[in-house]
Amino acid sequence: MNIIDRYGIRDKVAAVFGQTVQQGENELRQEIAGLKQMLASVHNSANIDHRINQRLQERDATTAANEELSRLSADKPLYSEIPEKRMVAFINDAWDRLGATASKEAVFNLAYDMAVNADPDLRAKAAAAKPAAPKDTGKVDAAKRANSVNIPSTASGKARVLTEDEELAAVYDRNHKG
C-alpha cells in the first residue's frame, strides 16, 4: 500500500479491483501531502532564520511607531480622548490632503486638528484650554515709547568725533546766526 500511495496510483488499482475511492479521501490525501511539504520547509534552517528576522523587524517597526506616536502626541492634551478608529480615519484624510511627501509630524498635526474640530465636546475643551492673550496695555505703551526714542550713543560714552564737513557747517552756522 505504501508503494501504491507513493506513486499516487491508489485510484487506478482500486478501479482495477472494482472498488471506488471516495472524493473526500482524495482531498484528505492532498491536504496531508501539503502539510508534509510545509513541515519539510519549516525544518529548513534558512526559513527559520528568515522568519525570526522578519519577526524582529516587525517588532522594531512597532516599537519605532509607538515611540513616534508618543513623541507626536506629547503636546496634544486631548489626544487620549480621540477614539483610535477615528484618529486613523483622520490620519488617512490628512495623508490624502497633504500628499505622500508630507512629513509624519505635519500629517499627525493636521489629523489631530481635524479630529478635535470634528467633535463639539473636544472643540469646546480645546477653546477653553487656550490661554487668553494678556491685555497689559501699560507694557505695550511703554515699549512703543521706548522704541520711538532715538538716542545716539557710543560704546565709550564720549561724544562722537565730528567730521571735517560737520565742523565747518557748525562754524558757518555760528557765524551766520546774527
Side-chain angles (χ1 to χ4, degrees):
M1 292 304 278
N2 285 339
I3 294 171
I4 291 172
D5 287 339
R6 188 178 310 145
Y7 290 104
I9 58 173
R10 181 181 284 257
D11 295 340
K12 292 178 186 176
V13 172
V16 170
F17 291 111
Q19 296 179 353
T20 58
V21 178
Q22 295 177 356
Q23 183 65 22
E25 189 176 331
N26 283 335
E27 292 173 0
L28 186 59
R29 290 180 195 282
Q30 289 174 352
E31 187 175 346
I32 290 171
L35 289 172
K36 284 181 180 179
Q37 191 176 24
M38 187 175 70
L39 283 173
S41 70
V42 168
H43 291 299
N44 184 353
S45 63
N47 288 343
I48 294 171
D49 289 345
H50 174 71
R51 188 68 181 145
I52 290 171
N53 287 333
Q54 185 180 12
R55 288 289 185 183
L56 288 174
Q57 288 173 352
E58 289 172 2
R59 187 187 69 191
D60 291 345
T62 302
T63 302
N66 287 336
E67 287 174 357
E68 188 164 13
L69 181 61
S70 295
R71 180 184 63 83
L72 292 174
S73 64
D75 62 341
K76 309 286 188 236
L78 301 174
Y79 175 75
S80 62
E81 297 182 36
I82 301 170
E84 182 178 341
K85 188 176 181 181
R86 292 190 73 201
M87 190 64 184
V88 169
F90 283 117
I91 287 173
N92 289 330
D93 289 347
W95 275 120
D96 290 344
R97 283 187 183 188
L98 297 177
T101 58
S103 71
K104 291 178 183 177
E105 186 168 358
V107 169
F108 184 82
N109 288 339
L110 178 59
Y112 176 79
D113 289 341
M114 290 190 309
V116 168
N117 289 317
D119 186 338
D121 294 334
L122 292 178
R123 190 177 11 189
K125 287 179 182 179
K130 283 185 182 177
K135 292 284 185 177
D136 192 357
T137 56
K139 286 185 178 180
V140 173
D141 292 340
K144 285 181 182 177
R145 264 193 318 278
N147 195 25
S148 67
V149 176
N150 188 7
I151 302 173
S153 66
T154 60
S156 65
K158 295 180 183 175
R160 181 175 65 84
V161 177
L162 299 176
T163 64
E164 185 177 352
D165 287 339
E166 291 171 334
E167 286 179 5
L168 290 174
V171 169
Y172 179 81
D173 287 343
R174 271 185 288 182
N175 289 331
H176 284 77
K177 267 191 173 178

